[in-house]
Amino acid sequence: MKKGIIVLIVLGVIIFGLYQWAVGFNNTAVELQADAKTAWSNVESAYQRRNDLIGNLVKTVQGAADFERGTLTDVIEARAKATSTTVNADNLTPENLAAFQEAQTGLSGALSKLMVVVERYPELKANQNFLELQSQLEGTENRINVARDRFNEKVNLYDIHTTKFPGKLLAGLFGFEEMARYKADAGSENAPDVEFNFN
């Protein structure tokens, strides 16, 4: 009878220990996942700030006489696509993140083209509103970079916690799945060719 009580006590201690471990794993995973989702919200917020600034930039540029309409149209269309492509923090799949990133990259490309064209318009380059918007856009691009890096750091912590053994066993039981990271734009690993013309 004494052996039976000892066995029950040992089993109880083991079960309680496993329960505590599972609760601790789950709670930490929930916190890390929430941190990653918050970091994603900060990424979206930084992109939203850029979209707002681009809207003001477009209005300023539209006022310039004979400004290239095609370039402006490209920016407006890319901005519309970028603002319509959103990713819910609860659905950060690689496919959704890739679609979001593609839309944002398209807008970045159109915006870069606009800035190159602006160089041919001295009245715009001297416009105080334009210069201020340009400066704010540069600062926002830096914010976007920082927000994406922080998002990836938070996702990394979450993924390590949920994929390391033995936590990986519980992650599947509790429904924790690996989260997608923000990746570098396609082709960004290749250095751009820079040509200088000295005429």
Side-chain angles (χ1 to χ4, degrees), residues 150-164:
R150 287 183 180 157
F151 167 72
N152 282 345
E153 288 170 10
K154 297 296 184 183
V155 168
N156 190 52
L157 292 173
Y158 165 80
D159 281 347
I160 287 171
H161 181 72
T162 56
T163 56
K164 275 174 69 175

Side-chain angles (χ1 to χ4, degrees), residues 96-108:
N96 289 341
L97 205 52
F100 179 85
Q101 188 170 352
E102 181 182 336
Q104 296 300 333
T105 299
L107 180 54
S108 294

Side-chain angles (χ1 to χ4, degrees), residues 29-112:
V30 166
E31 287 176 23
L32 293 172
Q33 187 181 54
D35 287 346
K37 288 177 180 180
T38 299
W40 176 251
S41 296
N42 293 337
V43 169
E44 287 188 312
S45 176
Y47 275 116
Q48 183 59 53
R49 175 176 164 72
R50 179 176 80 162
N51 289 335
D52 294 344
L53 289 171
I54 290 172
N56 292 333
L57 185 71
V58 165
K59 288 176 187 169
T60 302
V61 170
Q62 280 175 329
D66 301 325
F67 192 81
E68 296 178 22
R69 299 291 169 216
T71 303
L72 205 50
T73 301
D74 289 347
V75 171
I76 292 167
E77 289 173 358
R79 180 175 177 253
K81 183 177 180 185
T83 54
S84 68
T85 306
T86 59
V87 180
N88 185 315
D90 291 322
N91 199 14
L92 284 169
T93 64
E95 298 78 22
N96 289 341
L97 205 52
F100 179 85
Q101 188 170 352
E102 181 182 336
Q104 296 300 333
T105 299
L107 180 54
S108 294
L111 186 59
S112 294

